[in-house]
Amino acid sequence: MKLALSMFGVAVVVIGGTAVGINAAKPKTDYAAVAESKTIMGYEGWWNSTPADGSGKDLPQETVAVNTTTGQIVDAFNRAKNAAHQVTSISDVHFDVVPDPTWPAKSVVIIDTATGKVIDSFTVDEKGRPILPRP
């Protein structure tokens, strides 16, 4: 009888441990759904990067990202603010957008505010997420 109770106790512990292990292995969040619902909070590229040597003198000092569908500024970057560990808000940059019919449709164009020239562009979906080219 003691042996049977001991075996039962061991079985309960093993089954309980297995159940806890299986439950712990299940994801707590549907990360794909979370990523799907997130709003784009800015774009990153060569124009707002910091080279390994720390010198950004040959890079644009300030840029805006303009959605070509809406003509609205959707992101901004200022290298001096970034160097001071401050976030650049769209309202911090004073740049008048003049939509250009040669801009690619359904895209975001990156404009160097010092020159007004488009320095990069990429296609985006209706939520502003970049559409990566297929290999």
Side-chain angles (χ1 to χ4, degrees), residues 22-120:
I22 290 172
N23 201 21
K26 290 182 183 177
K28 302 291 186 232
T29 306
D30 182 1
Y31 295 107
V34 170
E36 181 72 21
S37 68
K38 289 286 186 189
T39 302
I40 295 298
M41 299 300 290
Y43 299 103
E44 292 186 9
W46 64 266
W47 62 88
N48 60 4
S49 65
T50 302
D53 68 3
S55 172
K57 71 176 183 128
D58 294 329
L59 294 172
Q61 299 304 301
E62 185 176 78
T63 60
V64 291
V66 178
N67 184 303
T68 63
T69 302
T70 65
Q72 298 294 310
I73 295 175
V74 294
D75 192 21
F77 174 77
N78 181 287
R79 197 164 297 283
K81 286 189 77 125
N82 186 62
H85 304 288
Q86 298 173 353
V87 176
T88 304
S89 297
I90 293 171
S91 61
D92 294 335
V93 177
H94 304 288
F95 183 79
D96 293 325
V97 176
V98 179
D100 186 330
T102 64
W103 289 349
K106 298 179 182 175
S107 297
V108 166
V109 291
I110 307 300
I111 300 173
D112 181 342
T113 61
T115 64
K117 293 184 179 180
V118 172
I119 57 174
D120 206 350

